[in-house]
Amino acid sequence: MLTRPSTGLTVMVDTMKAAAESSRLRILLLLARGDLTVTDLTEILAQSQPRVSRHLKLLMEARLVERYQEGSWAFFRLSDSEAERDFLAGIIGRVDPADPVVERDLERLAAVKRKRQERAADYFSANAASWDHIRSLHAPDGAVEAALKELIGTRPFQSMLDLGTGTGRLLELFAPLYRRGVGIDLSREMLAVARANLDRADVAHAQVRQGDIYAPPVERDGFDLVTMHQVLHYLDEPGVAIREAARLLRPAGRLVIVDFAPHAHEFLREEHAHVRLGFSDRQIEDWLEEAGLDLEASRVFAPAGAGGLTVKLWLARDRRLLIADPQTLQTELKETA
């Protein structure tokens, strides 16, 4: 069962003061539905940029809002802190969305998101032919997703991190289970696609941000589930990326890797920047062992036709709780089975 974090009296008073202003509360309501830039908020609130920036500064000082840079753009999101998010959920859930001011804000927010989706669609169309070619070589994505859902189970958990999030599909897939989701990708274009897809799916409790997979801009020991879907074959040092992913897991947290089995399709290296032509079970198992993870399950997905790409799925678990409390882990494993 997920527990609610507690907050000291003085901190709670300061937090309530920061939120107790109409424009700042409107900002919090908007950020609860996704990350936004100052320009987005200025357009939605119909206020000057200095005024919006001032409100954001006060909200950041109260640790209700966080800022992150993505190239030349600065995005704002609700705090990653469980205590602040729990507090904000209580406030935001009590605001009537039919209030005329809120209703107008949400209409303008929808217009901002439509522009995002149009830009994302343009990028996707420009690259769709090459992606469709690769997808035609391996098993349908639906088969992999079904296996992922089966292995992860239906028990809710606190947080998920998707490394190399791409279109944000895994954040969307597991949205019913986690309280907070984060996606990391180096490509600003793909982040735009992911944001548009999450907006379209009405997934407001997940954010995506720019970052290096070897040094993700997130806290260590902070995630119950970390996923790496079709990422490793782009990397020079997959083992290093796996070790870094393991450091981000909470005790008994799980890491999911989906990638290709060894193959000989050299055109993927020459035309699509694939550095590695697939991975053997032994390679993955060795890297997991070095990272302090135990392999729990694996799946194989054969290609639709001859000469295609075989997809592999590996599920591993952080072993720290196994050492500290075997009975607790045994109970958890039964519940997630």
Side-chain angles (χ1 to χ4, degrees), residues 120-150:
D122 291 341
Y123 174 76
F124 216 91
S125 296
N127 294 274
S130 61
W131 292 337
D132 286 344
H133 183 199
I134 296 174
R135 280 198 296 268
S136 69
L137 296 174
H138 59 75
D141 293 335
V144 178
E145 292 181 1
L148 282 168
K149 292 175 72 173
E150 175 193 352

mmCIF file of all heavy atoms in Angstrom, residues 120-150:
data_model
loop_
_atom_site.group_PDB
_atom_site.id
_atom_site.type_symbol
_atom_site.label_atom_id
_atom_site.label_comp_id
_atom_site.label_asym_id
_atom_site.label_seq_id
_atom_site.Cartn_x
_atom_site.Cartn_y
_atom_site.Cartn_z
ATOM 1 N N ALA A 120 4.472 17.804 -33.685
ATOM 2 C CA ALA A 120 4.915 16.416 -33.526
ATOM 3 C C ALA A 120 4.499 15.575 -34.734
ATOM 4 O O ALA A 120 5.265 14.728 -35.209
ATOM 5 C CB ALA A 120 4.326 15.828 -32.247
ATOM 6 N N ALA A 121 3.301 15.802 -35.232
ATOM 7 C CA ALA A 121 2.822 15.050 -36.392
ATOM 8 C C ALA A 121 3.684 15.325 -37.617
ATOM 9 O O ALA A 121 3.962 14.414 -38.419
ATOM 10 C CB ALA A 121 1.363 15.407 -36.683
ATOM 11 N N ASP A 122 4.120 16.570 -37.773
ATOM 12 C CA ASP A 122 4.994 16.913 -38.897
ATOM 13 C C ASP A 122 6.311 16.155 -38.814
ATOM 14 O O ASP A 122 6.806 15.621 -39.802
ATOM 15 C CB ASP A 122 5.265 18.424 -38.926
ATOM 16 C CG ASP A 122 4.025 19.226 -39.294
ATOM 17 O OD1 ASP A 122 3.091 18.634 -39.862
ATOM 18 O OD2 ASP A 122 4.005 20.435 -39.010
ATOM 19 N N TYR A 123 6.890 16.108 -37.609
ATOM 20 C CA TYR A 123 8.164 15.395 -37.432
ATOM 21 C C TYR A 123 7.966 13.897 -37.671
ATOM 22 O O TYR A 123 8.777 13.242 -38.324
ATOM 23 C CB TYR A 123 8.700 15.636 -36.027
ATOM 24 C CG TYR A 123 9.938 14.822 -35.710
ATOM 25 C CD1 TYR A 123 11.178 15.171 -36.230
ATOM 26 C CD2 TYR A 123 9.854 13.686 -34.904
ATOM 27 C CE1 TYR A 123 12.307 14.418 -35.951
ATOM 28 C CE2 TYR A 123 10.979 12.925 -34.623
ATOM 29 C CZ TYR A 123 12.207 13.296 -35.150
ATOM 30 O OH TYR A 123 13.308 12.542 -34.880
ATOM 31 N N PHE A 124 6.884 13.372 -37.134
ATOM 32 C CA PHE A 124 6.617 11.941 -37.269
ATOM 33 C C PHE A 124 6.426 11.569 -38.737
ATOM 34 O O PHE A 124 6.935 10.551 -39.206
ATOM 35 C CB PHE A 124 5.363 11.581 -36.471
ATOM 36 C CG PHE A 124 5.435 10.236 -35.827
ATOM 37 C CD1 PHE A 124 5.928 10.100 -34.539
ATOM 38 C CD2 PHE A 124 5.031 9.107 -36.491
ATOM 39 C CE1 PHE A 124 6.005 8.857 -33.936
ATOM 40 C CE2 PHE A 124 5.097 7.860 -35.909
ATOM 41 C CZ PHE A 124 5.581 7.738 -34.621
ATOM 42 N N SER A 125 5.712 12.415 -39.484
ATOM 43 C CA SER A 125 5.474 12.135 -40.901
ATOM 44 C C SER A 125 6.780 12.123 -41.682
ATOM 45 O O SER A 125 6.974 11.308 -42.585
ATOM 46 C CB SER A 125 4.528 13.188 -41.487
ATOM 47 O OG SER A 125 3.264 13.115 -40.870
ATOM 48 N N ALA A 126 7.685 13.026 -41.325
ATOM 49 C CA ALA A 126 8.956 13.126 -42.039
ATOM 50 C C ALA A 126 9.822 11.890 -41.839
ATOM 51 O O ALA A 126 10.667 11.565 -42.676
ATOM 52 C CB ALA A 126 9.711 14.374 -41.586
ATOM 53 N N ASN A 127 9.620 11.174 -40.722
ATOM 54 C CA ASN A 127 10.456 10.018 -40.407
ATOM 55 C C ASN A 127 9.701 8.689 -40.438
ATOM 56 O O ASN A 127 10.280 7.647 -40.143
ATOM 57 C CB ASN A 127 11.085 10.191 -39.017
ATOM 58 C CG ASN A 127 12.061 11.357 -38.971
ATOM 59 O OD1 ASN A 127 13.234 11.225 -39.299
ATOM 60 N ND2 ASN A 127 11.563 12.527 -38.582
ATOM 61 N N ALA A 128 8.430 8.742 -40.762
ATOM 62 C CA ALA A 128 7.590 7.547 -40.655
ATOM 63 C C ALA A 128 8.048 6.408 -41.564
ATOM 64 O O ALA A 128 7.976 5.238 -41.190
ATOM 65 C CB ALA A 128 6.134 7.904 -40.962
ATOM 66 N N ALA A 129 8.534 6.735 -42.752
ATOM 67 C CA ALA A 129 8.897 5.689 -43.700
ATOM 68 C C ALA A 129 10.006 4.796 -43.147
ATOM 69 O O ALA A 129 9.925 3.564 -43.222
ATOM 70 C CB ALA A 129 9.337 6.311 -45.024
ATOM 71 N N SER A 130 11.048 5.399 -42.563
ATOM 72 C CA SER A 130 12.159 4.598 -42.040
ATOM 73 C C SER A 130 11.721 3.789 -40.830
ATOM 74 O O SER A 130 12.124 2.632 -40.669
ATOM 75 C CB SER A 130 13.348 5.499 -41.677
ATOM 76 O OG SER A 130 12.993 6.439 -40.681
ATOM 77 N N TRP A 131 10.904 4.382 -39.952
ATOM 78 C CA TRP A 131 10.424 3.648 -38.781
ATOM 79 C C TRP A 131 9.532 2.487 -39.192
ATOM 80 O O TRP A 131 9.601 1.398 -38.623
ATOM 81 C CB TRP A 131 9.683 4.590 -37.840
ATOM 82 C CG TRP A 131 10.589 5.606 -37.204
ATOM 83 C CD1 TRP A 131 11.937 5.509 -37.022
ATOM 84 C CD2 TRP A 131 10.208 6.871 -36.679
ATOM 85 N NE1 TRP A 131 12.416 6.642 -36.412
ATOM 86 C CE2 TRP A 131 11.388 7.496 -36.178
ATOM 87 C CE3 TRP A 131 8.999 7.544 -36.567
ATOM 88 C CZ2 TRP A 131 11.386 8.754 -35.589
ATOM 89 C CZ3 TRP A 131 8.988 8.806 -35.972
ATOM 90 C CH2 TRP A 131 10.169 9.388 -35.498
ATOM 91 N N ASP A 132 8.666 2.710 -40.166
ATOM 92 C CA ASP A 132 7.782 1.644 -40.620
ATOM 93 C C ASP A 132 8.587 0.485 -41.213
ATOM 94 O O ASP A 132 8.221 -0.691 -41.047
ATOM 95 C CB ASP A 132 6.797 2.175 -41.674
ATOM 96 C CG ASP A 132 5.704 3.038 -41.059
ATOM 97 O OD1 ASP A 132 5.541 2.978 -39.821
ATOM 98 O OD2 ASP A 132 5.043 3.772 -41.809
ATOM 99 N N HIS A 133 9.682 0.798 -41.890
ATOM 100 C CA HIS A 133 10.523 -0.251 -42.464
ATOM 101 C C HIS A 133 11.093 -1.146 -41.375
ATOM 102 O O HIS A 133 11.055 -2.374 -41.472
ATOM 103 C CB HIS A 133 11.666 0.377 -43.274
ATOM 104 C CG HIS A 133 12.535 -0.627 -43.959
ATOM 105 N ND1 HIS A 133 13.803 -0.332 -44.410
ATOM 106 C CD2 HIS A 133 12.338 -1.947 -44.259
ATOM 107 C CE1 HIS A 133 14.340 -1.411 -44.958
ATOM 108 N NE2 HIS A 133 13.474 -2.395 -44.878
ATOM 109 N N ILE A 134 11.596 -0.535 -40.292
ATOM 110 C CA ILE A 134 12.165 -1.320 -39.197
ATOM 111 C C ILE A 134 11.075 -2.144 -38.506
ATOM 112 O O ILE A 134 11.264 -3.325 -38.211
ATOM 113 C CB ILE A 134 12.870 -0.402 -38.189
ATOM 114 C CG1 ILE A 134 14.070 0.286 -38.852
ATOM 115 C CG2 ILE A 134 13.350 -1.191 -36.965
ATOM 116 C CD1 ILE A 134 14.744 1.327 -37.991
ATOM 117 N N ARG A 135 9.916 -1.520 -38.251
ATOM 118 C CA ARG A 135 8.825 -2.232 -37.576
ATOM 119 C C ARG A 135 8.358 -3.440 -38.376
ATOM 120 O O ARG A 135 7.931 -4.445 -37.814
ATOM 121 C CB ARG A 135 7.656 -1.279 -37.309
ATOM 122 C CG ARG A 135 7.844 -0.393 -36.082
ATOM 123 C CD ARG A 135 6.514 0.178 -35.631
ATOM 124 N NE ARG A 135 5.955 1.066 -36.637
ATOM 125 C CZ ARG A 135 6.157 2.388 -36.660
ATOM 126 N NH1 ARG A 135 6.917 2.948 -35.745
ATOM 127 N NH2 ARG A 135 5.618 3.136 -37.586
ATOM 128 N N SER A 136 8.437 -3.341 -39.702
ATOM 129 C CA SER A 136 7.981 -4.449 -40.541
ATOM 130 C C SER A 136 8.867 -5.684 -40.411
ATOM 131 O O SER A 136 8.465 -6.780 -40.800
ATOM 132 C CB SER A 136 7.937 -4.008 -42.010
ATOM 133 O OG SER A 136 9.253 -3.810 -42.521
ATOM 134 N N LEU A 137 10.063 -5.513 -39.839
ATOM 135 C CA LEU A 137 11.004 -6.623 -39.730
ATOM 136 C C LEU A 137 10.822 -7.451 -38.468
ATOM 137 O O LEU A 137 11.389 -8.536 -38.355
ATOM 138 C CB LEU A 137 12.449 -6.088 -39.766
ATOM 139 C CG LEU A 137 12.898 -5.407 -41.066
ATOM 140 C CD1 LEU A 137 14.282 -4.812 -40.880
ATOM 141 C CD2 LEU A 137 12.895 -6.413 -42.216
ATOM 142 N N HIS A 138 10.089 -6.938 -37.487
ATOM 143 C CA HIS A 138 9.967 -7.685 -36.237
ATOM 144 C C HIS A 138 8.513 -7.870 -35.817
ATOM 145 O O HIS A 138 7.587 -7.358 -36.468
ATOM 146 C CB HIS A 138 10.778 -7.015 -35.124
ATOM 147 C CG HIS A 138 10.379 -5.604 -34.815
ATOM 148 N ND1 HIS A 138 9.234 -5.275 -34.113
ATOM 149 C CD2 HIS A 138 10.990 -4.429 -35.077
ATOM 150 C CE1 HIS A 138 9.159 -3.972 -33.965
ATOM 151 N NE2 HIS A 138 10.207 -3.426 -34.543
ATOM 152 N N ALA A 139 8.327 -8.593 -34.734
ATOM 153 C CA ALA A 139 6.984 -8.900 -34.236
ATOM 154 C C ALA A 139 6.211 -7.621 -33.928
ATOM 155 O O ALA A 139 6.808 -6.594 -33.594
ATOM 156 C CB ALA A 139 7.093 -9.756 -32.965
ATOM 157 N N PRO A 140 4.892 -7.660 -34.036
ATOM 158 C CA PRO A 140 4.091 -6.466 -33.756
ATOM 159 C C PRO A 140 4.335 -5.942 -32.337
ATOM 160 O O PRO A 140 4.544 -6.715 -31.401
ATOM 161 C CB PRO A 140 2.646 -6.963 -33.921
ATOM 162 C CG PRO A 140 2.753 -8.159 -34.803
ATOM 163 C CD PRO A 140 4.068 -8.794 -34.476
ATOM 164 N N ASP A 141 4.300 -4.617 -32.209
ATOM 165 C CA ASP A 141 4.512 -4.005 -30.893
ATOM 166 C C ASP A 141 3.484 -4.494 -29.875
ATOM 167 O O ASP A 141 3.782 -4.587 -28.682
ATOM 168 C CB ASP A 141 4.421 -2.481 -31.008
ATOM 169 C CG ASP A 141 5.568 -1.899 -31.833
ATOM 170 O OD1 ASP A 141 6.623 -2.554 -31.904
ATOM 171 O OD2 ASP A 141 5.397 -0.800 -32.394
ATOM 172 N N GLY A 142 2.283 -4.807 -30.333
ATOM 173 C CA GLY A 142 1.238 -5.246 -29.419
ATOM 174 C C GLY A 142 1.600 -6.512 -28.663
ATOM 175 O O GLY A 142 1.242 -6.674 -27.490
ATOM 176 N N ALA A 143 2.324 -7.411 -29.308
ATOM 177 C CA ALA A 143 2.723 -8.654 -28.644
ATOM 178 C C ALA A 143 3.706 -8.363 -27.515
ATOM 179 O O ALA A 143 3.622 -8.950 -26.430
ATOM 180 C CB ALA A 143 3.353 -9.602 -29.656
ATOM 181 N N VAL A 144 4.637 -7.454 -27.756
ATOM 182 C CA VAL A 144 5.609 -7.082 -26.721
ATOM 183 C C VAL A 144 4.908 -6.363 -25.572
ATOM 184 O O VAL A 144 5.171 -6.629 -24.401
ATOM 185 C CB VAL A 144 6.717 -6.189 -27.323
ATOM 186 C CG1 VAL A 144 7.700 -5.756 -26.241
ATOM 187 C CG2 VAL A 144 7.451 -6.928 -28.437
ATOM 188 N N GLU A 145 4.006 -5.477 -25.904
ATOM 189 C CA GLU A 145 3.293 -4.727 -24.861
ATOM 190 C C GLU A 145 2.448 -5.650 -23.988
ATOM 191 O O GLU A 145 2.371 -5.470 -22.770
ATOM 192 C CB GLU A 145 2.433 -3.639 -25.489
ATOM 193 C CG GLU A 145 3.247 -2.523 -26.135
ATOM 194 C CD GLU A 145 2.377 -1.436 -26.728
ATOM 195 O OE1 GLU A 145 1.127 -1.540 -26.615
ATOM 196 O OE2 GLU A 145 2.924 -0.482 -27.309
ATOM 197 N N ALA A 146 1.821 -6.634 -24.599
ATOM 198 C CA ALA A 146 1.019 -7.588 -23.824
ATOM 199 C C ALA A 146 1.902 -8.351 -22.845
ATOM 200 O O ALA A 146 1.517 -8.584 -21.688
ATOM 201 C CB ALA A 146 0.292 -8.546 -24.761
ATOM 202 N N ALA A 147 3.089 -8.745 -23.297
ATOM 203 C CA ALA A 147 4.009 -9.466 -22.415
ATOM 204 C C ALA A 147 4.508 -8.559 -21.289
ATOM 205 O O ALA A 147 4.644 -8.996 -20.136
ATOM 206 C CB ALA A 147 5.186 -10.001 -23.222
ATOM 207 N N LEU A 148 4.764 -7.309 -21.602
ATOM 208 C CA LEU A 148 5.191 -6.356 -20.578
ATOM 209 C C LEU A 148 4.129 -6.203 -19.492
ATOM 210 O O LEU A 148 4.425 -6.238 -18.295
ATOM 211 C CB LEU A 148 5.476 -4.995 -21.214
ATOM 212 C CG LEU A 148 6.798 -4.845 -21.958
ATOM 213 C CD1 LEU A 148 6.811 -3.556 -22.778
ATOM 214 C CD2 LEU A 148 7.960 -4.855 -20.977
ATOM 215 N N LYS A 149 2.891 -6.054 -19.905
ATOM 216 C CA LYS A 149 1.807 -5.896 -18.937
ATOM 217 C C LYS A 149 1.642 -7.143 -18.080
ATOM 218 O O LYS A 149 1.383 -7.061 -16.871
ATOM 219 C CB LYS A 149 0.504 -5.562 -19.672
ATOM 220 C CG LYS A 149 0.505 -4.195 -20.330
ATOM 221 C CD LYS A 149 -0.732 -3.940 -21.152
ATOM 222 C CE LYS A 149 -1.943 -3.714 -20.302
ATOM 223 N NZ LYS A 149 -3.115 -3.297 -21.107
ATOM 224 N N GLU A 150 1.834 -8.303 -18.685
ATOM 225 C CA GLU A 150 1.721 -9.550 -17.937
ATOM 226 C C GLU A 150 2.827 -9.652 -16.883
ATOM 227 O O GLU A 150 2.578 -10.023 -15.728
ATOM 228 C CB GLU A 150 1.806 -10.737 -18.893
ATOM 229 C CG GLU A 150 1.810 -12.093 -18.189
ATOM 230 C CD GLU A 150 2.195 -13.231 -19.107
ATOM 231 O OE1 GLU A 150 2.317 -13.014 -20.328
ATOM 232 O OE2 GLU A 150 2.401 -14.345 -18.591
#
